[in-house]
Amino acid sequence: MSLAVNTADGVVLVVGCAHPGIEKIVEAATAINPRIRLIAGGFHLVVAPDEVIAKAVAALKDMKVEKIAPGHCTGEPTFAALKQAFGDRYLYAGVGTSLPLGPGTGSVGRRGEGPALREDDLATYRKLAHREDPFGIQKARNSRSALSHL
């Protein structure tokens, strides 16, 4: 689900998790107003390969998105690619982050951001992100549930 708010400075687009594709959602929002002031939310690219991430980032740049605030299901590799592509127009949309929307407001940065993942950490991250139950939580719950029926 997405919310497009048409402001005097352009569309502020809030996406819950961009299942249809962030590019399609932004394209639909440009029908309201071609100026996209800010996109905030989950881009649904957590398990995307690098070439898909690069394509999405290029499309957002081509659509002249002014500011970007990814969070949630965007994924660490996409955070890094967006931060590199958008520079000071990149905002982090994590818990506790305020996103200024008024005219002339600058970036608040990425509060709470940890260091960038090293290559070996990134490989582990991607393996875990592809798994349905990466930490065995569901398996443990199912085992407890089965034991309680005995």
Side-chain angles (χ1 to χ4, degrees):
M1 187 173 292
S2 301
L3 171 67
V5 180
N6 194 16
T7 73
D9 294 319
V11 171
V12 173
L13 186 58
V14 180
V15 294
C17 185
H19 283 234
I22 191 64
E23 304 98 307
K24 288 181 182 179
I25 294 169
V26 173
E27 187 178 330
T30 61
I32 298 167
N33 183 339
R35 185 173 179 198
I36 304 297
R37 170 101 166 113
L38 170 70
I39 305 170
F43 290 17
H44 194 66
L45 293 167
V46 72
V47 295
D50 290 336
E51 51 276 359
V52 171
I53 293 168
K55 181 181 173 213
V57 170
L60 295 172
K61 295 266 304 176
D62 289 347
M63 292 179 203
K64 297 185 177 29
V65 171
E66 292 178 26
K67 292 185 180 183
I68 199 116
H72 170 52
C73 61
T74 301
E76 291 298 326
T78 311
F79 286 142
L82 288 166
K83 189 172 187 175
Q84 181 178 4
F86 282 83
D88 65 349
R89 297 178 301 127
Y90 171 94
L91 306 162
Y92 177 67
V95 173
T97 302
S98 298
L99 300 173
L101 300 176
T105 54
S107 170
V108 295
R110 183 175 174 178
R111 289 186 300 176
E113 176 181 21
L117 293 176
R118 293 187 326 245
E119 195 60 40
D120 57 333
D121 291 332
L122 185 56
T124 301
Y125 171 87
R126 284 189 158 153
K127 283 179 191 172
L128 289 172
H130 273 46
R131 290 179 55 191
E132 195 68 31
D133 186 19
F135 301 107
I137 295 168
Q138 192 61 46
K139 184 179 179 182
R141 285 182 183 153
N142 291 342
S143 294
R144 275 184 275 157
S145 177
L147 290 174
S148 68
H149 293 287
L150 298 176

